[in-house]
Amino acid sequence: MSAVLKKLMFSSLIGISIGSALFAPNAEAEEPAAKPKKVDIIAHRGASGYAPENTMAAFEKALQMKADYIELDVQMSKDGELVIIHDTTVNRTTDIDSELPVAVKNLTLAELRKLDAGSFFAPQFAGERIPTFEEVLDRYKGKIGMLIELKEPARYPGIEEKVSAALKERRMDKPKNGKIIVQSFDFNSVYKIHQLLPSMPTGVLTSKAADLTDAKLKEFSGYAKYVNTNLKNVTADPTLVPRIHALGMKITPWTVRSRDEVSPLLKAGVDGIVTDFPDYVPKKVR
Ligand code: G3P
Ligand code: CA
């Protein structure tokens, strides 16, 4: 075979194979990788894995770590001031000198402010104080979202009115003025907030699977924008997130304290993740 003929045959073969690759009806087109859904990072009691929970140090750390929200627990002092603390007693998170439980509601603001709320976590946080609600609002308004939990509000008659007034005073009750959500395990309290601040997004908190039936979710959707439950309920029931979304609500489950808890929640399609460690949520989904 002449050299010219060989060259011609070779080029035709190449041509045929390129043509088949481009035009073959069964050629597998590569799917573009789906963009991962962005989720809100909610620093639980502030970045409480790195600084004492519910203190300015923990909220500051959350801001530095670029969390989308800080989560905070609101209660009331004996003299009616709103304060930020998780337990209904001060013993676990302060240096109160008492063997017996001391209730938040039995101390005045001045007494609460004297307590050290940092050294229980680590010595370098000694001197951290229990913040007031107003102090947190003033410091973080417009800087970071706030997921405000009313903790055991039935202990504090009038707490919903006080929280609403503090938000209204600062014009933080309108969704366009920042990411503010009020939530509680006490459904009556959530309903009350919805009545007081109709344009404020509210959230129902529950750890009970029995609260996550279609009928219950429908009821919540009448006054809440969020159903925030324990992350175990999300991984146990793959229908939960779609059922919440179908009713026009969102879900930010809690509380991520280990890196391997993140991925199942992302796969389930949650809207946010409540975590003590904001850096556990990968950058690509933020
Ligand atoms: O945001 C949800 C979460 O804060 C509820 O649990 O006990 O940490 O207040 P807890
Ligand atoms: Ca909380």
Side-chain angles (χ1 to χ4, degrees):
M1 197 184 296
S2 76
V4 175
L5 190 56
K6 269 189 194 164
K7 203 172 174 183
L8 268 175
M9 283 174 72
F10 182 68
S11 349
S12 327
L13 277 172
I14 298 275
I16 289 163
S17 47
I18 291 175
S20 334
L22 286 176
F23 303 113
N26 293 330
E28 273 182 33
E30 231 175 70
E31 289 278 324
K35 267 197 180 164
K37 177 182 166 178
K38 301 283 175 199
V39 291
D40 283 327
I41 317 294
I42 301 151
H44 180 239
R45 308 180 199 167
S48 58
Y50 300 104
E53 65 181 59
N54 280 321
T55 63
M56 297 309 266
F59 299 141
E60 220 43 44
K61 186 75 187 164
L63 189 65
Q64 282 166 19
M65 295 181 90
K66 300 197 181 345
D68 299 290
Y69 288 80
I70 49 174
E71 191 263 353
L72 50 138
D73 301 290
V74 184
Q75 301 190 55
M76 207 194 288
S77 68
K78 188 176 175 181
D79 47 349
E81 297 296 328
L82 298 174
V83 289
I84 308 303
I85 183 166
H86 178 269
D87 297 3
T88 54
T89 57
V90 299
N91 302 66
R92 179 180 63 88
T93 57
T94 76
D95 64 343
I96 187 92
D97 187 15
S98 169
E99 292 293 310
L100 296 172
V102 178
V104 173
K105 69 172 189 174
N106 289 337
L107 297 178
T108 63
L109 179 63
E111 287 167 332
L112 288 166
R113 294 286 282 180
K114 276 190 200 134
L115 300 173
D116 178 343
S119 48
F120 86 95
F121 185 83
Q124 71 264 33
F125 293 104
E128 280 296 320
R129 300 290 149 196
I130 294 173
T132 65
F133 182 52
E134 303 210 21
E135 182 183 2
V136 174
L137 294 183
D138 290 337
R139 168 75 185 99
Y140 295 106
K141 179 183 174 182
K143 296 193 171 73
I144 191 166
M146 293 179 223
L147 177 59
I148 301 163
E149 178 180 349
L150 305 192
K151 187 56 87 188
E152 300 213 14
R155 286 174 173 257
Y156 308 108
I159 193 169
E160 294 85 359
E161 286 79 359
K162 284 188 187 246
V163 165
S164 304
L167 290 168
K168 269 188 169 168
E169 217 173 277
R170 291 163 180 80
R171 308 178 67 78
M172 292 168 81
D173 57 318
K174 308 278 182 238
K176 67 176 168 48
N177 289 345
K179 302 174 291 181
I180 311 289
I181 305 160
V182 181
Q183 65 173 0
S184 185
F185 284 98
D186 182 328
F187 306 156
N188 292 327
S189 185
V190 180
Y191 183 75
K192 202 165 171 184
I193 288 285
H194 176 67
Q195 302 284 94
L196 289 164
L197 302 174
S199 41
M200 166 72 58
T202 54
V204 161
L205 276 168
T206 183
S207 51
K208 298 182 197 140
D211 283 333
L212 303 170
T213 61
D214 286 345
K216 284 277 201 177
L217 294 180
K218 180 97 184 72
E219 192 185 314
F220 298 151
S221 71
Y223 57 91
K225 278 275 170 292
Y226 288 79
V227 176
N228 294 336
T229 188
N230 190 298
L231 60 88
K232 289 191 182 84
N233 289 324
V234 176
T235 45
D237 176 4
T239 73
L240 181 60
V241 175
R243 287 189 296 119
I244 288 172
H245 286 165
L247 287 163
M249 295 186 290
K250 292 185 175 187
I251 172 167
T252 68
W254 38 272
T255 301
V256 164
R257 295 191 172 108
S258 117
R259 286 181 195 275
D260 56 14
E261 288 168 326
V262 174
S263 155
L265 296 178
L266 296 177
K267 279 192 193 120
V270 301
D271 303 287
I273 290 183
V274 178
T275 177
D276 293 356
F277 302 91
D279 54 325
Y280 282 8
V281 183
K283 286 220 168 66
K284 64 177 182 207
V285 295
R286 294 185 180 202

